[in-house]
Amino acid sequence: MTSGLIVFAHGSRIESANESVRAVARQLAELGSFRYVEPAFLELGQPDLAGAVAALAALGVETIVVLPYFLTLGLHLERDLPKLIADVQQAHPGVQIRATPPLEGHSALLTALLDRARSALID
């Protein structure tokens, strides 16, 4: 079964922020040796989730894992993302789509915060 990943972010009017998400998707593909990785945005960026799923489905991907690039569970992940996945699932019934939790609670997040704090306190 062919698998793919989608890095799902909010999106921004500041295009460099959207490009940073696209860069994360490229880096994830490279570092993880994942063949199929796409960025997607809730709003204010392209592609949206439907576009990213369609791109992966066109490549023969049968299982898609959506990785929310969000720190915490909020309204977008609790309400919007499940609805978007359900809608896209109807458009691509042969593709299994599921989402992971947000970044909150992952031990690497605390490590990153500690690194930022230490580098800011060292002059």
Side-chain angles (χ1 to χ4, degrees):
M1 190 174 301
T2 306
S3 300
L5 303 172
I6 293 176
V7 178
F8 180 72
H10 185 277
S12 174
R13 286 183 177 83
I14 300 170
E15 187 52 34
S16 62
N18 296 336
E19 186 50 42
S20 292
V21 174
R22 292 182 191 104
V24 164
R26 288 190 300 270
Q27 292 167 356
L28 180 65
E30 185 178 322
L31 291 173
S33 298
F34 298 114
R35 185 171 180 183
Y36 302 108
V37 180
E38 291 288 328
F41 301 92
L42 176 64
E43 58 188 25
L44 305 171
Q46 291 297 322
D48 61 7
L49 186 64
V53 169
L56 291 174
L59 295 170
V61 171
E62 300 165 301
T63 301
I64 296 173
V65 175
V66 179
L67 303 165
Y69 199 57
F70 287 69
L71 290 178
T72 60
L73 178 67
L75 204 53
H76 291 314
L77 295 186
E78 190 172 272
R79 178 195 65 194
D80 299 333
L81 183 57
K83 181 180 180 338
L84 289 170
I85 289 174
D87 292 346
V88 172
Q89 187 73 72
Q90 286 185 344
H92 301 278
V95 178
Q96 178 186 1
I97 306 169
R98 65 181 182 273
T100 67
L103 298 171
E104 175 182 35
H106 195 286
S107 61
L109 183 59
L110 184 55
T111 301
L113 287 171
L114 284 168
D115 182 62
R116 294 286 188 188
R118 287 182 178 133
S119 63
L121 293 172
I122 297 172
D123 293 310

